[in-house]
Amino acid sequence: RLVSCEDRYTMNNSSPTTYLHNSYCAFLGILLFLVTPTHGATYHYIFSAECTPYMDWQSVGLYHSWKLIGSPGKITRLLSCDEQSLKSYKWLHIMPTHVHPPLNRYQPDDWYPPYNLPGSVLHWTTHNHTDADYVVKLDGDMILRKPFTIEELGASKGNPVGGLYGYLVGITNGMANLFLPPENIPYLSKVGGWVVMHYEDMKRVAPKWLEFTKRVREYGPDAWNQTGDAYITKQNPKPWISEMYGFTYGCAAVNVKVREDGDHMLYPGYVPWNAVSMDPLVLHYGLRFAVGAWSYDKHDWSRTDMLACSAAHPGKLFPPPPSVDSLRGTRDAPTNERERLGY
């Protein structure tokens, strides 16, 4: 419209009527520009999984929650599966999936399935392209409650945001000095689980993430107790959380500092500590939690094919948690606010 008005004015600039008409037209064009919504950020959710029954039902749960919340953008399961297993794998097309070779044995003498997480992201960023602005990296044992947005979290290009994991003591106890030069140390953060990061930043971080995971995994046996990993010993010194250190060390290596966010994710069973954690974006089912005599732990179902269906067994469900009414008058009774939110 602006071009049309300008053309008319050029041809008829001696006419006051035409000038007024074209000025009005230009005003309308500017007004339309100001009130038209600008292009918002776009998102691509990703999570890592293996082609096993244990990870299949978790993947379905996360994918279903993503659909229920109406999150904008895309989601892709990064699936570790060898060629032979893929031939008989029946859940390949149950959701958008990117397949990559398994990296459990990224180092031949070290079986470590979490290699698949940095390896899958590196494979995905190398062999695929997303038109999304931001990557939302999740763990497969999470359930979404609300969409992740940069407006909610304050993320931007070069300034990602991730979940705070305070037990990553190797960020602040001097352990990082064995892996990074002094100028990169200020970029370290105690983050893991979820992260919202610009796609261009993720492409830079991914190869370093895998590299540093390997280096931390091979960390010397004399320093095993510096990682904060509760499951390692002097006799078995390889940290299970090497991948988490690999991520934050990899970010620091390319001068990307992830802001720590300790409020937008909640472990079921934890008591919310503020208004944000009372209404979190995501629930992380990584630990056992209990309500009265009832409890849930994903590991209890590691050998159960929850997706198996037949005429005799049309589907499997987890044992239902106790009702709110059954908890009234007990120490596990929810407060009014928690009851309102469904906790």
Side-chain angles (χ1 to χ4, degrees), residues 12 25 29 48 102 119 121 165 175 238 270 278:
N12 304 284
C25 186
S48 180
V121 175
Y165 279 77
M175 172 180 152
K238 292 182 179 293
Y270 282 27
M278 198 76 170

Side-chain angles (χ1 to χ4, degrees), residues 5-322:
C5 291
E6 180 65 27
D7 288 344
R8 288 188 184 183
Y9 175 64
T10 300
M11 292 185 296
N12 304 284
N13 57 11
S14 59
S15 169
T17 303
T18 302
Y19 175 78
L20 288 173
H21 169 78
N22 291 334
S23 297
Y24 177 68
C25 186
F27 169 75
L28 287 179
I30 293 172
L31 183 62
L32 285 171
F33 173 78
L34 291 176
V35 302
T36 300
T38 57
H39 170 68
T42 52
Y43 303 90
H44 200 137
Y45 290 67
I46 60 173
F47 65 97
S48 180
E50 297 181 38
C51 53
T52 62
Y54 176 54
M55 289 197 169
D56 286 340
W57 63 258
Q58 294 179 65
S59 299
V60 168
L62 174 53
Y63 178 56
H64 185 60
S65 72
W66 176 82
K67 292 199 297 182
L68 283 179
I69 64 173
S71 182
K74 302 175 182 178
I75 189 170
T76 298
R77 173 182 55 165
L78 309 181
L79 187 69
S80 166
C81 199
D82 62 73
E83 292 184 4
Q84 190 60 36
S85 299
L86 201 59
K87 292 178 181 178
S88 59
Y89 182 61
K90 57 184 178 181
W91 302 120
L92 178 61
H93 302 295
I94 200 170
M95 65 189 71
T97 298
H98 171 81
V99 180
H100 67 90
L103 293 173
N104 303 46
R105 294 271 184 193
Y106 183 63
Q107 295 300 103
D109 60 344
D110 181 24
W111 180 82
Y112 182 57
Y115 272 131
N116 283 310
L117 183 46
S120 67
V121 175
L122 177 59
H123 196 274
W124 179 68
T125 55
T126 301
H127 297 279
N128 283 272
H129 176 75
T130 179
D131 55 2
D133 302 313
Y134 288 87
V135 174
V136 181
K137 195 282 294 181
L138 303 171
D139 282 348
D141 57 354
M142 292 179 170
I143 295 294
L144 291 162
R145 297 185 68 253
K146 296 188 295 184
F148 281 79
T149 66
I150 59 173
E151 290 80 11
E152 173 84 13
L153 298 166
S156 62
K157 186 175 182 180
N159 299 284
V161 180
L164 171 65
Y165 279 77
Y167 60 69
L168 295 174
V169 296
I171 302 302
T172 54
N173 65 3
M175 172 180 152
N177 296 321
L178 301 176
F179 298 93
L180 294 164
E183 60 267 24
N184 294 110
I185 298 298
Y187 290 93
L188 290 170
S189 304
K190 294 181 178 180
V191 293
W194 65 267
V195 67
V196 177
M197 178 178 284
H198 196 277
Y199 178 61
E200 295 300 323
D201 294 330
M202 185 65 81
K203 287 197 297 182
R204 294 167 54 213
V205 168
K208 294 294 184 180
W209 184 2
L210 182 59
E211 173 191 333
F212 279 98
T213 296
K214 173 179 175 291
R215 290 178 58 186
V216 175
R217 187 69 178 163
E218 296 174 344
Y219 197 17
D222 295 332
W224 61 272
N225 59 348
Q226 294 184 349
T227 64
D229 193 320
Y231 299 99
I232 62 173
T233 64
K234 189 172 183 178
Q235 292 70 36
N236 185 26
K238 292 182 179 293
W240 189 258
I241 58 176
S242 297
E243 168 272 315
M244 299 179 74
Y245 280 111
F247 176 73
T248 187
Y249 288 175
C251 289
V254 295
N255 298 336
V256 171
K257 185 174 180 64
V258 184
R259 183 170 63 80
E260 300 168 351
D261 182 294
D263 295 327
H264 284 91
M265 180 185 77
L266 185 71
Y267 279 88
Y270 282 27
V271 177
W273 48 93
N274 58 24
V276 178
S277 62
M278 198 76 170
D279 190 21
L281 299 179
V282 65
L283 296 173
H284 191 181
Y285 288 84
L287 302 171
R288 179 179 297 277
F289 70 100
V291 180
W294 177 92
S295 68
Y296 174 85
D297 187 338
K298 65 176 185 177
H299 301 97
D300 294 341
W301 306 91
S302 60
R303 300 183 182 276
T304 305
D305 187 356
M306 297 299 294
L307 302 186
C309 295
S310 65
H313 302 283
K316 295 184 176 69
L317 297 174
F318 298 113

